[in-house]
Amino acid sequence: MQNEQQNTEKIAVSGFLIILGFLIILLRLWQLQILQGSEMRKASETNRLRIIGVPAPRGIIFDRNNLPLVKNAPYFCASVVPQEFNQNNISDLAQLFGIPVADLYDRITQKAASPFIPVRIKEGLTFSEVSYIEARRSDFPGLLIEVETSRDYIYGNVGSHLIGYLGKLNPRQSKDPSFRDVPSEAFIGQWGAEKLYDTTLRGTAGQRIIEVDAVGREIRLLEETPPVKGADIVLSIDIAVQKEAEKAFEGRAGAFVALRPETGEVLGLISSPSFDPNKFAKGISFDDWQALMEDKKLPMLNRAIQSQYPPGSTFKIMTALAALEERAVDTNTKFDCKGGLNYGKWRFGCWQKKGHGVISIHRALVESCDVFFYETGKRVGFDKVAEYAEKFGLGSETGVSLGNEKKGLIPSSLWKLQTKKTQWFLGETFINSIGQGYVSTTPIQLAVMMSAIANSGRVYRPTLLRNEPPTLVRTVNVRPETLEIVREALQGVVNEPGGTGGAARSIMTTVAGKTGTAQVVGIKKDSKYLAERFRDHAWFVSFAPVEHPEIALSVFVEHGGHGGSAAAPIAKKAIEAYLLPLDKKKELLSVQH
Amino acid sequence: MFNIDRRLIRNFDWITFAVIIALSFMGILTIFSATRQPGEDPQAMFYMKQVVWLLISICALIIVVSFDYIWLARTALAFYITGILLLVFVLISGRTGMGAQRWISIGFFSFQPSEFFRLIFVIMLAGYYSSRRESLDTFALIRVFLIIVLLPFVLLFKQPDLGTAVVVLLLFAAISLAHGLHKKLLITLLFIGMVSLPFVSNILWTGLKDYQKNRLIAFIDPQVDPSGIGYHINQSKIAIGSGEFSGKGFLKGTQGPFRFLPEKHTDFIFAVYAEERGFLGSLFLLFLYLVLILRGLDTARKAKDEFGRLLALGIAFMFSIYFFVNIGMTLGIMPVVGIPLPFMSYGGTALLSNFISAGILINVRTRRFSLFY
């Protein structure tokens, strides 16, 4: 019986211990499910929910004839999900992508934000790389190919300074609150129209809230906000003009700006040498970037708005216009050019050593006689010339919405007194009157000037969109007779025998223009035999057709030599391309680009 | 031996039977939920297999109840030797799964001998102790340990099936205590145990496989290795906790189907259950297990002989150990030792073995009156 008693006691003790154990479990359940319940619920939600941004297709950029200039292109990236990745594969993977093992290891293990979020290991894969990797995916669990949208720039280099390019957010932009909505891996416009109209083109990224399993595989779509495609934009440029002009530069450094006189729309804008925007859109390599930045020819400089050079003889248009308008000269005024002009101990030469003889304003512009304009400048006074030049848009920003535009300089006696603390000398009137000396302009300013000459003195702000309402900056009050005289002379420059701009003569239309040569060094020699860096810069400004101007332009060729031989042919090509019917333009464009 | 007479039915332990049937049903539903593939049809394989195994197990239980458990005392040794041989066999030619050799394939199904061995071990110890009525002294205990315990322990440890090996040791201790030890021995054992703990643990530590070591490390600090074993414990805690008071609802759990939980339909089935049924459902489940275990102890108290008493106690202890180690693991208050939750976890061999164990409990209770025959 004693034994019986003991046994019952032992069982009772066991029962007591077991009930105690149940109580402990009950307490633990209370702690997890009641006390920490909501916290744990949240943890289980974040476990399974992922918010994935869906990039919006970017708006397409068209030229003024609705020809697409860009295509959206997939941009492939290889990523690794650290949680799924087998560390034993790391050296094979590093070899596959040509990345140092230590670097890869660091990125997958040390720097990974979460074991479930893919870590980028290589961007901008080519199609062949993608297919190579796809074929080997099964060897590398956790390796995935992600796709983003980037751009294909159909015409490559052509007009790259204006069209611009896409790039990843730079460190400064990632901190900028205005880019808060942009996913960190996304491409945004970083240059040109792509940057300028980025918010329009960008669209609104969509969102997918998905349920995932422990290895991040998508299980179910819970909510989807589809992306809204960015709006297309129609640029004012004519890609045929761009392409023909670009080709005509033949790799020489320089700039080209074409405007529509009626509205100020930019029909073409080139800075040569240009760069390939596709390199940026494919994730430019450090070496390529370095090469672009260190290139002596400065491909990243937008010469069309940033180069400031003496306008040379193209400035004679302003001198002539000012003198006629101020009645300092008229069509009957004649000067005798003996190949130069002596003033005190100095001699101011004409480019034509043997002289032009007795010459009036028409032939003086046609043959670009320097002596005539020394005299004319002296008569009207350079301050008056400067006044007109400024009214026509020289010496100040044109206001085109491409960044970092330079002002150039139109000097005056006041300006000289303020900055140089000396008075203006007559010799300075002479050289500035023919566009040398202090006076300097940008290619786009000269295009604006020509546009205003073609359009009865109306100065427009150059605009980049086809449908943008024109912004009239001012109308310069010039008597129609004055304009008529100048325009006729400019027509003569191209079309009359002995005109300096004969190279721009076209059978398609009547071209008006003016050549210019900006001296690089004081000595005037036949620049053909000079080392290139001592050669003069060549200018040509033009509009056409003379009867009803549809295009006004300026061409600048750095160290090109004479404006007539280096710059005028480019203008002719651009004008002819612009005046072609659309189907002919397409034909032109279909030739290998 | 197989005739079922009316008294047998009248005295049948319906409570235990009802509890294990209820647990098995809840187990099948939870397996159904845990193995469903999001967006796909549930994997019929798992829960249908378990249904088939349940039917087999119920038949086995009826057979076990129908004969007098006394017969087990006579055949214990034969069972034991067979069990040992199977453990040896599984070591030599068993199928490897998850880094351990635990399965024997017979035709198209495979079973784990260790799942049966734990029951055979209880029967063997109960049989042995009941044949010697006196309390155990030091030599007797060491003898029992050397003869009955050491060999299977080593074999299980080698597989390695750490869970069952530990269960065997715990059962040995519990049943020996229940049988009775000399007071002197008891005190000595406690003393020796405390002194030798560091050495034994050191030896055990070096004998452990890496994944077993990781489990122990992760138990001590789950944050050390959030994507390894500690990750599993954390995910299990998140699953249970996120059930809150009333649960997410049947088939609404996310931790299991989305693979955040490892072994969701086997060792971590409670986490899946608790996520969907919440605190209330867990309370109900706890209540069923408590009834099962206390009923087992009561059966032991009422058993007509020492063999029946030790048998019932041993089985009740076995259920308790499995329950506490498993639930404790999913709740993060015990190290991760891979043992299933009785009646609920997926696994045919375990279910069959548990039903046979329960059958023995019912058998002992049904035949508690000496005047039965």
Side-chain angles (χ1 to χ4, degrees):
Chain A
M1 235 37 247
Q2 172 73 28
N3 212 358
E4 199 67 16
Q5 181 75 32
Q6 264 186 4
N7 281 343
T8 312
E9 270 171 25
K10 278 179 196 161
I11 290 171
V13 170
S14 306
F16 173 74
L17 287 174
I18 282 163
I19 290 171
L20 195 70
F22 270 85
L23 282 176
I24 291 171
I25 288 188
L26 199 67
L27 280 176
R28 178 63 170 173
L29 274 173
W30 178 268
Q31 183 195 14
L32 285 178
Q33 297 189 300
I34 308 298
L35 299 181
Q36 302 174 2
S38 58
E39 190 185 316
M40 293 293 187
R41 176 71 64 108
K42 221 177 279 163
S44 82
E45 297 280 303
T46 48
N47 242 352
R48 71 188 176 94
L49 295 185
R50 295 263 188 290
I51 298 171
I52 294 175
V54 184
R58 207 172 159 82
I60 299 297
I61 303 176
F62 292 96
D63 91 333
R64 66 184 297 108
N65 297 311
N66 285 317
L67 300 173
L69 304 177
V70 297
K71 275 193 290 214
N72 284 329
Y75 178 75
F76 297 100
C77 309
S79 303
V80 161
V81 182
Q83 164 77 8
E84 285 178 76
F85 188 67
N86 182 352
Q87 305 262 328
N88 299 332
N89 285 337
I90 203 152
S91 56
D92 291 340
L93 189 71
Q95 205 180 3
L96 183 65
F97 288 102
I99 314 171
V101 179
D103 183 35
L104 189 61
Y105 180 81
D106 212 36
R107 274 197 269 173
I108 295 178
T109 57
Q110 260 34 67
K111 295 190 182 139
S114 142
F116 302 109
I117 295 173
V119 177
R120 281 285 160 85
I121 54 175
K122 196 168 185 190
E123 301 200 335
L125 302 170
T126 62
F127 270 113
S128 59
E129 281 176 309
V130 169
S131 47
Y132 186 82
I133 292 163
E134 279 295 339
R136 278 156 193 78
R137 273 265 305 274
S138 52
D139 299 341
F140 299 103
L143 176 64
L144 44 101
I145 303 283
E146 292 181 297
V147 189
E148 274 168 36
T149 44
S150 182
R151 288 283 214 208
D152 240 3
Y153 294 96
I154 300 171
Y155 299 98
N157 283 25
V158 177
S160 53
H161 283 91
L162 189 127
I163 299 168
Y165 57 79
L166 293 188
K168 301 260 164 158
L169 285 174
N170 61 36
R172 193 164 34 82
Q173 287 166 332
S174 0
K175 285 184 202 116
D176 188 334
S178 58
F179 291 103
R180 208 189 303 119
D181 298 341
V182 181
S184 59
E185 300 289 356
F187 283 99
I188 61 156
Q190 293 285 30
W191 186 288
E194 289 273 34
K195 182 182 183 180
L196 192 56
Y197 305 109
D198 189 57
T199 44
T200 312
L201 292 165
R202 202 190 288 162
T204 312
Q207 208 180 47
R208 284 161 56 83
I209 301 178
I210 58 164
E211 223 169 25
V212 295
D213 66 11
V215 292
R217 257 183 299 244
E218 180 174 342
I219 301 297
R220 187 156 43 125
L221 179 66
L222 294 181
E223 209 184 302
E224 184 171 27
T225 323
V228 181
K229 182 181 178 291
D232 294 341
I233 58 170
V234 180
L235 290 182
S236 57
I237 64 163
D238 183 322
I239 189 65
V241 171
Q242 286 281 142
K243 198 187 167 189
E244 281 305 287
E246 183 100 20
K247 209 164 73 185
F249 266 96
E250 293 169 339
R252 288 170 296 178
F256 165 90
V257 180
L259 301 171
R260 187 158 175 254
E262 261 175 74
T263 56
E265 286 167 86
V266 174
L267 297 175
L269 186 144
I270 285 169
S271 174
S272 179
S274 51
F275 54 87
D276 185 359
N278 287 312
K279 273 189 184 162
F280 290 90
K282 301 280 175 284
I284 190 161
S285 72
F286 182 74
D287 288 348
D288 282 348
W289 172 252
Q290 198 79 348
L292 275 175
M293 293 326 264
E294 285 171 4
D295 192 332
K296 289 271 179 344
K297 291 191 150 186
L298 305 171
M300 301 307 286
L301 177 76
N302 190 347
R303 288 173 162 81
I305 60 171
Q306 291 172 331
S307 274
Q308 312 172 79
Y309 286 106
S313 303
T314 60
F315 193 73
K316 287 171 186 165
I317 299 171
M318 284 296 106
T319 309
L321 192 127
L324 285 168
E325 197 59 16
E326 297 297 319
R327 301 182 199 278
V329 295
D330 57 29
T331 44
N332 299 320
T333 313
K334 289 189 170 64
F335 293 108
D336 187 8
C337 171
K338 296 191 179 80
L341 181 146
N342 292 315
Y343 171 64
K345 57 181 177 177
W346 296 282
R347 179 178 170 82
F348 295 87
C350 183
W351 68 270
Q352 182 63 274
K353 290 275 165 347
K354 58 182 200 282
H356 290 98
V358 177
I359 194 164
S360 67
I361 191 156
H362 181 87
R363 287 302 294 178
L365 275 171
V366 170
E367 295 178 45
S368 200
C369 174
D370 291 336
V371 172
F372 183 91
F373 287 98
Y374 294 150
E375 298 282 3
T376 308
K378 184 178 155 195
R379 274 207 192 173
V380 69
F382 192 76
D383 282 352
K384 272 287 169 209
V385 177
E387 194 186 309
Y388 280 89
E390 274 169 2
K391 280 183 187 164
F392 274 85
L394 304 183
S396 58
E397 291 104 333
T398 62
V400 67
S401 6
L402 294 166
N404 237 338
E405 190 184 356
K406 293 284 188 284
K407 283 170 82 163
L409 176 70
I410 299 299
S412 65
S413 53
L414 185 66
W415 166 84
K416 192 160 180 225
L417 208 59
Q418 279 168 352
T419 56
K420 310 269 177 192
K421 312 284 182 225
T422 51
Q423 66 182 90
W424 185 267
F425 299 111
L426 184 58
E428 287 165 342
T429 296
F430 290 158
I431 57 167
N432 282 289
S433 294
I434 63 158
Q436 312 285 0
Y438 299 122
V439 59
S440 75
T441 57
T442 60
I444 195 165
Q445 286 171 355
L446 286 182
V448 168
M449 177 192 84
M450 277 314 265
S451 166
I453 298 285
N455 192 25
S456 319
R458 278 193 276 275
V459 177
Y460 286 100
R461 184 172 71 84
T463 51
L464 300 175
L465 292 182
R466 172 85 208 249
N467 298 319
E468 215 169 328
T471 325
L472 185 66
V473 178
R474 72 181 76 81
T475 307
V476 192
N477 261 325
V478 191
R479 277 177 281 121
E481 309 91 82
T482 307
L483 280 174
E484 200 44 47
I485 295 163
V486 172
R487 280 200 289 244
E488 256 173 41
L490 296 182
Q491 185 182 343
V493 169
V494 177
N495 299 295
E496 282 176 26
T500 51
R505 197 177 306 152
S506 166
I507 47 162
M508 280 176 69
T509 183
T510 344
V511 178
K514 180 74 196 79
T515 56
T517 306
Q519 268 175 276
V520 172
V521 283
I523 36 157
K524 267 213 148 188
K525 287 205 179 122
D526 196 343
S527 23
K528 237 184 177 169
Y529 303 105
L530 232 54
E532 194 191 335
R533 66 199 167 92
F534 295 129
R535 269 189 229 163
D536 295 337
H537 302 307
W539 283 104
F540 189 73
V541 296
S542 172
F543 62 84
V546 172
E547 306 76 33
H548 178 72
E550 287 176 41
I551 178 168
L553 57 84
S554 74
V555 181
F556 172 70
V557 183
E558 236 169 74
H559 304 294
H562 285 298
S565 56
I570 297 174
K572 178 194 168 192
K573 290 261 175 61
I575 289 167
E576 288 184 344
Y578 181 66
L579 296 175
L580 281 178
L582 187 57
D583 55 329
K584 286 276 193 286
K585 281 184 190 182
K586 284 181 183 162
E587 223 169 87
L588 200 72
L589 291 166
S590 65
V591 187
Q592 51 98 29
H593 42 251
Chain B
M1 200 161 77
F2 289 102
N3 56 338
I4 298 165
D5 65 46
R6 207 181 292 145
R7 278 169 301 175
L8 199 60
I9 294 168
R10 195 193 312 140
N11 293 317
F12 186 80
D13 183 6
W14 290 107
I15 291 182
T16 300
F17 185 72
V19 165
I20 62 171
I21 292 291
L23 285 173
S24 303
F25 268 117
M26 284 156 72
I28 287 166
L29 287 177
T30 314
I31 291 165
F32 177 84
S33 175
T35 56
R36 86 199 130 92
Q37 296 281 330
E40 292 168 33
D41 293 329
Q43 283 179 302
M45 205 185 105
F46 288 107
Y47 73 92
M48 279 313 293
K49 261 189 168 175
Q50 191 76 348
V51 168
V52 172
W53 274 106
L54 178 60
L55 294 175
I56 296 171
S57 299
I58 291 170
C59 295
L61 180 134
I62 292 166
I63 294 168
V64 166
V65 173
S66 64
F67 62 82
D68 194 325
Y69 66 89
I70 294 297
W71 181 76
L72 288 173
R74 293 196 292 270
T75 51
L77 189 62
F79 275 124
Y80 181 77
I81 289 167
T82 314
I84 293 284
L85 287 177
L86 282 172
L87 287 183
V88 172
F89 181 72
V90 85
L91 257 189
I92 296 166
S93 62
R95 181 167 67 79
T96 307
M98 294 185 250
Q101 284 183 306
R102 293 184 194 172
W103 283 269
I104 291 179
S105 297
I106 300 167
F108 43 86
F109 86 105
S110 48
F111 80 104
Q112 282 178 276
S114 55
E115 289 291 351
F116 283 112
F117 186 80
R118 55 185 162 94
L119 176 58
I120 293 171
F121 183 76
V122 169
I123 297 169
M124 181 68 197
L125 268 188
Y128 183 78
Y129 283 149
S130 60
S131 67
R132 23 189 85 232
R133 304 301 308 238
E134 74 280 8
S135 304
L136 296 164
D137 58 20
T138 312
F139 290 111
L141 191 70
I142 291 173
R143 197 165 57 231
V144 173
F145 180 76
L146 289 178
I147 295 171
I148 302 177
V149 186
L150 189 61
L151 182 62
F153 179 78
V154 168
L155 288 173
L156 288 167
F157 197 82
K158 267 277 166 198
Q159 272 190 18
D161 186 348
L162 189 65
T164 313
V166 168
V167 167
V168 161
L169 272 191
L170 289 173
L171 280 174
F172 168 62
I175 298 172
S176 301
L177 275 171
H179 176 64
L181 301 179
H182 278 305
K183 277 225 169 68
K184 247 197 279 177
L185 176 57
L186 203 62
I187 294 161
T188 321
L189 273 182
L190 272 175
F191 181 74
I192 292 173
M194 282 166 77
V195 169
S196 64
L197 192 70
F199 301 100
V200 173
S201 59
N202 193 31
I203 292 165
L204 278 175
W205 181 250
T206 46
L208 288 175
K209 291 214 166 186
D210 275 350
Y211 75 92
Q212 293 167 331
K213 287 181 187 171
N214 285 341
R215 285 175 177 182
L216 281 172
I217 293 171
F219 166 65
I220 293 158
D221 184 3
Q223 302 302 329
V224 164
D225 165 31
S227 61
I229 277 295
Y231 165 80
H232 294 160
I233 297 174
N234 271 341
Q235 291 297 344
S236 171
K237 277 155 63 180
I238 288 172
I240 295 169
S242 67
E244 295 183 275
F245 184 69
S246 52
K248 292 178 181 172
F250 182 55
L251 298 181
K252 296 276 167 56
T254 54
Q255 290 286 96
F258 295 169
R259 284 175 262 236
F260 292 106
L261 272 176
E263 312 277 329
K264 58 209 183 241
H265 57 299
T266 58
D267 294 354
F268 282 92
I269 190 122
F270 177 71
V272 176
Y273 176 87
E275 184 186 9
E276 295 189 346
R277 311 301 177 121
F279 185 69
L280 275 184
S282 306
L283 219 56
F284 177 63
L285 197 74
L286 254 54
F287 172 73
L288 289 183
Y289 278 106
L290 190 63
V291 168
L292 176 71
I293 291 165
L294 292 184
R295 187 85 176 161
L297 291 183
D298 188 55
T299 302
R301 192 173 62 85
K302 289 181 174 151
K304 68 179 178 213
D305 53 16
E306 178 69 1
F307 179 61
R309 192 180 76 87
L310 286 178
L311 204 53
L313 263 183
I315 289 169
F317 286 158
M318 185 173 75
F319 286 156
S320 313
I321 292 165
Y322 271 76
F323 173 81
F324 284 120
V325 173
N326 179 280
I327 301 279
M329 166 185 78
T330 59
L331 288 171
I333 51 175
M334 288 259 199
V336 176
V337 176
I339 62 170
L341 185 61
F343 302 102
M344 286 202 54
S345 286
Y346 172 77
T349 323
L351 190 70
L352 181 59
S353 169
N354 286 323
F355 261 77
I356 293 172
S357 306
I360 293 169
L361 270 184
I362 294 169
N363 194 330
V364 172
R365 193 174 188 91
T366 310
R367 293 186 172 77
R368 63 186 181 275
F369 306 109
S370 307
L371 291 174
F372 200 76
Y373 282 105

